Amino acid sequence: MKKNIMTLLALLTMTAASAQKNDLPLVYDVENTGSKFAAPAMPAADQLPVIRELPDALEGVKKFKGWAKRRSDIGQMIQHYGIGTKPAVKSEQVKARMEGDTLIVDVTVGQEMLTLKSVIRYPKVGEAPYALMIGTDMIAIPRQLFEDRPIATTTFTSAQVNDYKQFGKHHDRGEHHFDRLYPQLKDNGAYSEWAWGMSRIIDGLQQLGPEVTKIDTKRIGVTGCSYAGKMALYCGAFDERIALTIAQEPGGGGAAAWRKSHESTLAGKNLEDLDKTDYHWFLESQKENFHGDSVYRLPYDQHELCAMVCPRALLLLGNPDFEWLADGSMLPSAEAAKKVWERFGIGDRMGWSIVGKHGHCQLPQTQWPEVQAFIDRFLLGRDVKTDNIKRVEDLK
């Protein structure tokens, strides 16, 4: 009898603990909950210790309340060593308005002003306020996945902040619109500046409110593919007002761990690793400091960029048919990142689907169910299971 009672008490305790863990926030109403924390020490690159394995994303974290500080430390390291500073903006520096269905956001820093515009496409079903999916330059996820759902869509046009493109005419460092506002940050990589611009769009939505925008700012998602998949991941990692991040085929410098790519049999070939990526996207000092075997001195890796999304939702989509995407490095990175969600009892908020036999940024119908599940649960609040989305096919 006593044994049965003890067993029942243990089960009740486990159930209560599980319920408490699953009460963790799905999204926040501020851009950075860690803004109160001071930056950790940032030694010179040659003074950093050699770390052969993927660094422990949960170093020093025992309970969820300790995650905010650790997450802040990771974000500070990524900015310092990898992408450059994403500057904070005060609310009075942002002025937003709607012209028809176009959101217009003016951001003023000193004597300079930058204007962002995003056209919102409203759904034909449901009632306002609507969930919103923001595409980084475009939404590569098939339109059919949104047509019958009460989800508005819009595009964050990155050129309004930093017009760098891999092909065609563009400005160089120090010449972008962002650089007018922050000339001291001219050495930034594009990903810090693009993440800054995405946050200003969300500022505008919050400032105007659902009565004006018809958007529920508690249900914002971001997605993009390839270089824009990286962009979506950095935006989702560095703004805690984004409830769902879907990074589609983000490649090296996105979810793929730099260390794992360095160790890959494809290293030095057709693979995007730290030595072979586009350095308009990152600080040029990243390559100077961490090229070759020096990558083991990098105090973080890309699994920790992914982990910064926790406790919010993250779905990674891969395509192993294209070697440069480094999906062989994204998988161990995803597995390492997922341990953070699992530590807090919310492993069902993070998943991945790596499937080949389709074009780049051409999501096949076989992957639609995973994407639908994450959209339905984390943007629409539907009772949909996302607890076992760890699909890997065609990965050599």
Side-chain angles (χ1 to χ4, degrees):
M1 180 69 174
K2 182 178 180 180
K3 183 177 180 180
N4 290 338
I5 292 174
M6 293 298 292
T7 300
L8 179 59
L9 287 172
L11 287 172
L12 289 172
T13 300
M14 289 172 62
T15 301
S18 176
Q20 185 177 14
K21 289 178 181 178
N22 287 322
D23 283 342
L24 297 181
L26 289 164
V27 70
Y28 296 88
D29 59 5
V30 294
E31 177 182 349
N32 179 15
T33 60
S35 60
K36 62 184 178 183
F37 298 113
M42 301 288 185
D46 61 359
Q47 299 300 308
L48 291 163
V50 171
I51 306 172
R52 293 281 172 180
E53 299 300 322
L54 294 181
D56 181 9
L58 285 162
E59 181 181 351
V61 179
K62 295 182 179 180
K63 296 182 179 180
F64 181 72
K65 65 180 181 180
W67 175 239
K69 175 63 167 66
R70 175 59 179 160
R71 180 187 173 279
S72 175
D73 287 351
I74 292 169
Q76 293 283 357
M77 288 190 292
I78 291 173
Q79 290 176 78
H80 182 79
Y81 295 109
I83 63 172
T85 301
K86 179 191 178 189
V89 173
K90 296 178 181 179
S91 59
E92 59 266 27
Q93 294 176 279
V94 177
K95 300 297 181 186
R97 63 188 185 278
M98 293 289 295
E99 290 187 1
D101 291 344
T102 300
L103 172 68
I104 302 174
V105 182
D106 295 324
V107 187
T108 302
V109 178
Q111 301 300 312
E112 296 289 340
M113 187 173 73
L114 183 153
T115 298
L116 302 171
K117 297 182 179 181
S118 290
V119 178
I120 300 175
R121 297 171 180 83
Y122 294 99
K124 297 179 180 178
V125 298
E127 296 180 357
Y130 302 105
L132 175 69
M133 179 62 83
I134 306 175
T136 46
D137 283 342
M138 68 173 293
I139 297 177
I141 294 172
R143 181 68 53 184
Q144 296 95 311
L145 297 183
F146 298 99
E147 284 180 345
D148 63 345
R149 288 169 167 77
I151 300 173
T153 59
T154 192
T155 297
F156 163 62
T157 304
S158 65
Q160 295 179 129
V161 176
N162 177 317
D163 72 345
Y164 173 71
K165 297 185 183 301
Q166 289 174 288
F167 308 103
K169 187 177 180 180
H170 60 80
H171 289 97
D172 290 316
R173 273 188 166 92
E175 301 175 341
H176 301 291
H177 293 303
F178 176 91
D179 299 317
R180 291 191 289 102
L181 276 61
Y182 301 102
Q184 74 278 17
L185 300 178
K186 63 180 178 60
D187 293 330
N188 266 12
Y191 284 123
S192 61
E193 300 180 2
W194 287 335
W196 175 92
M198 174 67 75
S199 292
R200 307 294 69 83
I201 291 292
I202 299 174
D203 285 347
L205 292 169
Q206 280 189 323
Q207 185 181 102
L208 294 175
E211 296 81 6
V212 176
T213 66
K214 304 178 186 177
I215 297 301
D216 181 352
T217 55
K218 291 288 189 182
R219 297 187 292 149
I220 294 176
V222 62
T223 187
C225 189
S226 198
Y227 83 92
K230 295 182 187 53
M231 196 192 311
L233 183 55
Y234 280 101
C235 290
F238 280 94
D239 197 317
E240 295 178 271
R241 296 170 296 183
I242 294 172
L244 170 62
T245 301
I246 301 178
Q248 185 178 359
E249 302 180 33
W258 292 126
R259 285 168 172 79
K260 297 300 181 181
S261 291
H262 178 64
E263 296 165 356
S264 170
T265 57
L266 298 173
K269 300 177 183 178
N270 187 29
L271 180 76
E272 185 181 359
D273 59 14
L274 190 145
D275 293 315
K276 192 178 180 181
T277 188
D278 191 321
Y279 270 90
H280 287 85
W281 294 336
F282 303 94
L283 290 170
E284 291 181 339
S285 59
Q286 178 183 255
K287 186 173 184 179
E288 297 168 7
N289 293 329
F290 303 110
H291 65 279
D293 286 346
S294 297
V295 71
Y296 296 117
R297 290 191 182 276
L298 192 66
Y300 63 90
D301 216 317
Q302 298 304 96
H303 66 297
E304 290 172 287
L305 172 69
C306 297
M308 283 182 66
V309 178
C310 181
R312 296 162 295 123
L314 172 65
L315 177 64
L316 302 174
L317 301 173
N319 184 349
D321 289 356
F322 298 88
E323 290 180 348
W324 80 81
L325 293 176
D327 281 348
S329 304
M330 184 173 81
L331 178 57
S333 183
E335 292 170 337
K338 190 175 177 69
K339 292 178 181 178
V340 176
W341 279 268
E342 290 175 336
R343 170 69 66 87
F344 305 130
I346 51 173
D348 57 350
R349 298 186 189 182
M350 190 271 180
W352 56 85
S353 179
I354 302 173
V355 178
K357 298 183 175 61
H358 61 91
H360 183 40
C361 296
Q362 303 294 315
L363 189 77
Q365 288 192 21
T366 57
Q367 282 182 293
W368 288 14
E370 293 100 306
V371 178
Q372 284 178 325
F374 267 74
I375 289 173
D376 283 353
R377 181 178 174 194
F378 297 109
L379 289 190
L380 298 179
R382 295 176 179 174
D383 186 12
V384 178
K385 289 188 176 297
T386 56
D387 55 351
N388 196 31
I389 296 181
K390 296 186 291 184
R391 182 179 177 187
V392 181
E393 297 180 6
D394 310 309
L395 184 61
K396 299 177 179 64

